[in-house]
Amino acid sequence: MKPVTKIQLFDENGEKFFGEGPCRLLEQVEQTGSLRCAAASMEMAYSKALKLVKQAEEALGFPLTQRSVGGKDGGGSTLTPEGREFLHKYEAYRDACVQANRELYANYFPGKTMGCVIMASGLGKRFGGNKLMAEFGGQPMIARILAATDDSFDRRVVVTRHEAVAAYCRARNVEVVLHNLPNRNDTVRLGLEAVGEVDGCMFCPGDQPLLKKETIEALINGWKRESDCIWRPSFEDQPGAPILFPKWAFSELLTLPEGKGGGFLARKYPERVRLHPVRDPYELMDVDTRETLRELSDFLAP
């Protein structure tokens, strides 16, 4: 059992005009510079996207988008200043409601709590730059793991060395630990310390863009059944990430050997590891090179 918060806005006549669908559409307009491309990225008909925008504009009394000239195809769409301000207010209001609901739920239905650390500190040496902000499916790659982990944890934090990643996450009301420490064990320790008092904690790689929310939920449900076990996904019995650790493992996670991550601890206790099989090997692939990014992007494309 878990709480789900859905924020919808209605006009004076009781007609819904804004929610997560239009919000995602405007976010994609901001990313792609095109309403048509934004609709395509959501597998939505352009006519429906246009209708959603017009309905919201009529209810609000100001334009959300405007045509621009000289884009990739000779023109496109951008958010108006009023549209951008409204979108940011809606996102902040929605995120505040979600957090408040989680806190209320924990007060009224106390139970085991789950934290999430998104590992986003890689320097991308083989990639040749900050891969977490590289475009993937019309948005920065880090957006994929934010979406996959959204609304599934009592506490979530992104640990990164990149200012751009930190700014992107903070703009979406996601807690960030920005640091300049060199090793993977530092990222694990900082994340676990930031998450605080929880009964379990999942460590998710920021560069695994095809990881499914369903897989994350399956790992959490497995942990709820066997909460003393370490849970991780696998393909053909080969374990992968993310890894979910119970509380008894925290002391060792805080004192990992230099350069080691959660996989080191999981291998230390093979008898306590439980695997959740996935059907698609691409889901467990991380992006180390631009070639891998292209391969996964091609797989994602319809």
Side-chain angles (χ1 to χ4, degrees):
M1 184 172 70
K2 67 175 183 178
V4 176
T5 306
K6 293 184 179 180
I7 303 300
Q8 299 174 336
L9 302 181
F10 293 76
D11 63 21
E12 294 180 353
N13 297 319
E15 297 292 329
K16 185 179 75 171
F17 71 88
F18 203 83
E20 281 306 295
C23 175
R24 286 182 55 209
L25 184 65
L26 293 185
E27 289 174 339
Q28 287 300 304
V29 170
E30 187 85 328
Q31 290 290 330
T32 64
S34 165
L35 180 60
R36 191 175 297 277
C37 290
S41 71
M42 296 174 61
E43 298 183 351
M44 178 188 297
Y46 176 70
S47 58
K48 180 179 179 180
L50 194 61
K51 181 179 179 181
L52 288 176
V53 172
K54 287 187 178 297
Q55 284 178 337
E57 290 176 336
E58 290 174 0
L60 293 167
F62 54 80
L64 295 170
T65 65
Q66 60 188 0
R67 291 285 298 171
S68 59
V69 179
K72 180 180 177 182
D73 299 314
S77 296
T78 59
L79 298 187
T80 63
E82 298 92 342
R84 189 173 292 108
E85 181 183 8
F86 172 77
L87 176 62
H88 291 168
K89 285 183 177 180
Y90 172 83
E91 291 172 330
Y93 171 65
R94 174 203 60 198
D95 294 342
C97 288
V98 169
Q99 183 60 34
N101 190 22
R102 288 172 180 165
E103 293 172 1
L104 288 168
Y105 180 84
N107 289 335
Y108 284 97
F109 301 97
K112 290 185 178 297
T113 54
M114 172 64 63
C116 175
V117 175
I118 296 177
M119 308 280 282
S121 295
L123 293 176
K125 292 181 179 179
R126 292 176 59 194
F127 188 84
N130 182 1
K131 59 185 176 181
L132 297 169
M133 294 301 293
E135 190 274 334
F136 188 91
Q139 57 190 341
M141 184 161 56
I142 188 67
R144 303 283 299 188
I145 192 63
L146 295 183
T149 56
D150 192 40
D151 208 29
S152 295
F153 299 91
D154 299 286
R155 186 81 182 274
R156 178 177 62 163
V157 62
V158 174
V159 185
T160 185
R161 282 184 276 192
H162 303 287
E163 291 277 1
V165 172
Y168 184 87
C169 294
R170 286 170 180 156
R172 284 146 185 81
N173 205 32
V174 178
E175 184 178 350
V176 175
V177 175
L178 183 63
H179 69 102
N180 60 1
L181 298 177
N183 297 314
R184 190 170 183 82
N185 58 296
D186 296 318
T187 303
V188 172
R189 176 177 53 79
L190 290 171
L192 192 55
E193 288 174 345
V195 164
E197 284 296 322
V198 290
D199 297 297
C201 188
M202 184 180 294
F203 291 82
C204 297
D207 61 350
Q208 198 171 309
L210 295 184
L211 181 64
K212 297 177 181 178
K213 190 174 186 65
E214 291 83 356
T215 298
I216 289 173
E217 293 292 339
L219 294 172
I220 294 173
N221 289 333
W223 173 77
K224 288 178 179 178
R225 294 192 304 270
E226 296 183 77
S227 57
D228 283 338
C229 294
I230 299 169
W231 285 83
R232 62 192 308 186
S234 67
F235 179 77
E236 295 183 347
D237 294 327
Q238 293 299 311
I243 308 180
L244 194 166
F245 289 97
K247 195 168 187 175
W248 62 259
F250 289 1
S251 60
E252 292 192 62
L253 288 170
L254 291 169
T255 56
L256 286 168
E258 185 174 308
K260 299 297 184 180
F264 172 85
L265 190 59
R267 289 189 292 273
K268 182 178 177 181
Y269 298 102
E271 74 283 357
R272 296 195 178 191
V273 173
R274 300 291 183 270
L275 300 179
H276 169 73
V278 300
R279 297 179 180 179
D280 184 356
Y282 286 103
E283 186 178 354
L284 305 186
M285 287 179 62
D286 54 8
V287 174
D288 287 329
T289 65
R290 294 187 183 275
E291 289 74 18
T292 306
L293 180 67
R294 285 192 290 269
E295 182 181 358
L296 296 185
S297 296
D298 290 343
F299 179 80
L300 178 68

